[in-house]
Amino acid sequence: MTTTTPIAPVVARKPAAPTTMAAALNAAIHDAMAADPAVVLFGEDVGPLGGVFRVTDGLYAEFGETRVSDSPLAESGIVGTAIGMAIYGLRPVVEMQFDAFSYPAFQQIVSHVAKMRNRTRGKIELPIVIRIPYAGDIGGVEHHSDSSEAYWTATPGLTVVTPSNPADAYSMLREAIQSDDPVIFMEPKSRYWMKDELSLPVQTTPMNKADVLREGADVTLIAYGPTVKTALATAELAAEEGLSVEVIDLRSLSPFDDETVNASVRKTSRAAVIHEAAQFGGYGAEVAARLTEHNFFHLAAPILRITGFDIPYPSPKLEEHFLPTPDRILAALGRWEWS
């Protein structure tokens, strides 16, 4: 599938090569900046350093300090500045550096970024992309491993997306930068170094659509961001036990692709949602409620949630026990009555 708004390549198509997610994101920002002089990049250490995860490496050297600039350590100021830039015609791409570092900017994002277009009856658009590296499994501590997606999906006016692989990282970020509405672009830190063979530039499924990554008949695993790889590994193990598992990568958390997910759940009649965030009040609760409302008479069992525990993110020595794993997912599926 291709996007409804084509991404115009600004460089000749490159031969396929092993490409990390971080490199794909870097290429997406580079190509967007080369294609549109209104695209600017700023945040903490995104300039000469190239970002904590080197996602912005080399961009300062190529585009200069007028388009790539380091900001003070003040996330509310970063987003507040982006609002002003967007009002005056620029397309700012800003980085929050780590998931929990976005919390000081919460008021700016929720009260202004998400509401400006509605508040002005469409007269003021805010084409801002807020990049948030999120989730754990990198040996980090709290404030460096949060999964904060539910905060943003609970806020009308924000598009919230998360890629799970390098190809989607490139295509979805290009599409997000072209959007006239604000986008929370959540990047799973533990997948920055995963590699796929890519020929850039690349276009994948439109960012507001989910992808069925593996066909199955017995149960649907619904994942996004870092847990997509976990879901696929679970499906492989389940197949050894004779269980046919369908895997869906949501990609867009808000808006939600009801059509794709409902079709899968109605086919398999069972579903489980996987995420790293705590279970209580987590994003999976919304997914489970939504699917139950739409598919109640098609379900053979309650929808499960396999998630992180209801505690602050633990120390690096304990995170392997906190994160959903294929074994924990299979154990949860075993709680159902299978006939």
mmCIF file of all heavy atoms in Angstrom, residues 40 60 63-69:
data_model
loop_
_atom_site.group_PDB
_atom_site.id
_atom_site.type_symbol
_atom_site.label_atom_id
_atom_site.label_comp_id
_atom_site.label_asym_id
_atom_site.label_seq_id
_atom_site.Cartn_x
_atom_site.Cartn_y
_atom_site.Cartn_z
ATOM 1 N N VAL A 40 12.304 22.613 10.291
ATOM 2 C CA VAL A 40 13.427 22.929 11.180
ATOM 3 C C VAL A 40 13.463 21.898 12.301
ATOM 4 O O VAL A 40 12.449 21.305 12.653
ATOM 5 C CB VAL A 40 13.320 24.355 11.761
ATOM 6 C CG1 VAL A 40 13.439 25.398 10.669
ATOM 7 C CG2 VAL A 40 12.007 24.545 12.527
ATOM 8 N N TYR A 60 23.208 18.839 11.559
ATOM 9 C CA TYR A 60 23.707 20.180 11.872
ATOM 10 C C TYR A 60 24.786 20.590 10.871
ATOM 11 O O TYR A 60 24.792 21.718 10.365
ATOM 12 C CB TYR A 60 24.253 20.210 13.293
ATOM 13 C CG TYR A 60 24.869 21.521 13.714
ATOM 14 C CD1 TYR A 60 24.083 22.551 14.246
ATOM 15 C CD2 TYR A 60 26.238 21.733 13.587
ATOM 16 C CE1 TYR A 60 24.657 23.751 14.629
ATOM 17 C CE2 TYR A 60 26.820 22.926 13.970
ATOM 18 C CZ TYR A 60 26.023 23.940 14.495
ATOM 19 O OH TYR A 60 26.593 25.128 14.873
ATOM 20 N N PHE A 63 22.841 21.264 7.374
ATOM 21 C CA PHE A 63 21.832 22.312 7.252
ATOM 22 C C PHE A 63 22.135 23.565 8.066
ATOM 23 O O PHE A 63 21.478 24.588 7.885
ATOM 24 C CB PHE A 63 20.460 21.750 7.647
ATOM 25 C CG PHE A 63 19.968 20.682 6.710
ATOM 26 C CD1 PHE A 63 20.048 19.342 7.053
ATOM 27 C CD2 PHE A 63 19.430 21.012 5.479
ATOM 28 C CE1 PHE A 63 19.606 18.344 6.203
ATOM 29 C CE2 PHE A 63 18.980 20.028 4.611
ATOM 30 C CZ PHE A 63 19.070 18.693 4.970
ATOM 31 N N GLY A 64 23.094 23.498 8.974
ATOM 32 C CA GLY A 64 23.513 24.683 9.694
ATOM 33 C C GLY A 64 22.644 25.027 10.890
ATOM 34 O O GLY A 64 21.560 24.467 11.083
ATOM 35 N N GLU A 65 23.135 25.994 11.667
ATOM 36 C CA GLU A 65 22.486 26.314 12.941
ATOM 37 C C GLU A 65 21.174 27.048 12.797
ATOM 38 O O GLU A 65 20.399 27.137 13.743
ATOM 39 C CB GLU A 65 23.433 27.150 13.800
ATOM 40 C CG GLU A 65 23.800 28.494 13.197
ATOM 41 C CD GLU A 65 24.773 29.257 14.068
ATOM 42 O OE1 GLU A 65 25.250 28.719 15.076
ATOM 43 O OE2 GLU A 65 25.042 30.430 13.732
ATOM 44 N N THR A 66 20.871 27.580 11.626
ATOM 45 C CA THR A 66 19.579 28.247 11.458
ATOM 46 C C THR A 66 18.436 27.244 11.311
ATOM 47 O O THR A 66 17.275 27.596 11.518
ATOM 48 C CB THR A 66 19.581 29.172 10.226
ATOM 49 O OG1 THR A 66 19.880 28.396 9.058
ATOM 50 C CG2 THR A 66 20.609 30.280 10.391
ATOM 51 N N ARG A 67 18.764 25.980 10.955
ATOM 52 C CA ARG A 67 17.708 24.981 10.788
ATOM 53 C C ARG A 67 17.838 23.810 11.739
ATOM 54 O O ARG A 67 16.879 23.055 11.919
ATOM 55 C CB ARG A 67 17.685 24.484 9.334
ATOM 56 C CG ARG A 67 17.312 25.585 8.340
ATOM 57 C CD ARG A 67 17.146 25.037 6.952
ATOM 58 N NE ARG A 67 16.017 24.113 6.879
ATOM 59 C CZ ARG A 67 15.813 23.283 5.863
ATOM 60 N NH1 ARG A 67 16.691 23.239 4.863
ATOM 61 N NH2 ARG A 67 14.768 22.488 5.849
ATOM 62 N N VAL A 68 19.012 23.645 12.341
ATOM 63 C CA VAL A 68 19.225 22.594 13.344
ATOM 64 C C VAL A 68 19.886 23.255 14.540
ATOM 65 O O VAL A 68 21.004 23.762 14.429
ATOM 66 C CB VAL A 68 20.124 21.458 12.815
ATOM 67 C CG1 VAL A 68 20.317 20.398 13.896
ATOM 68 C CG2 VAL A 68 19.548 20.843 11.552
ATOM 69 N N SER A 69 19.188 23.281 15.670
ATOM 70 C CA SER A 69 19.737 24.021 16.804
ATOM 71 C C SER A 69 19.464 23.300 18.116
ATOM 72 O O SER A 69 18.435 22.648 18.288
ATOM 73 C CB SER A 69 19.154 25.437 16.856
ATOM 74 O OG SER A 69 17.744 25.408 16.874
#
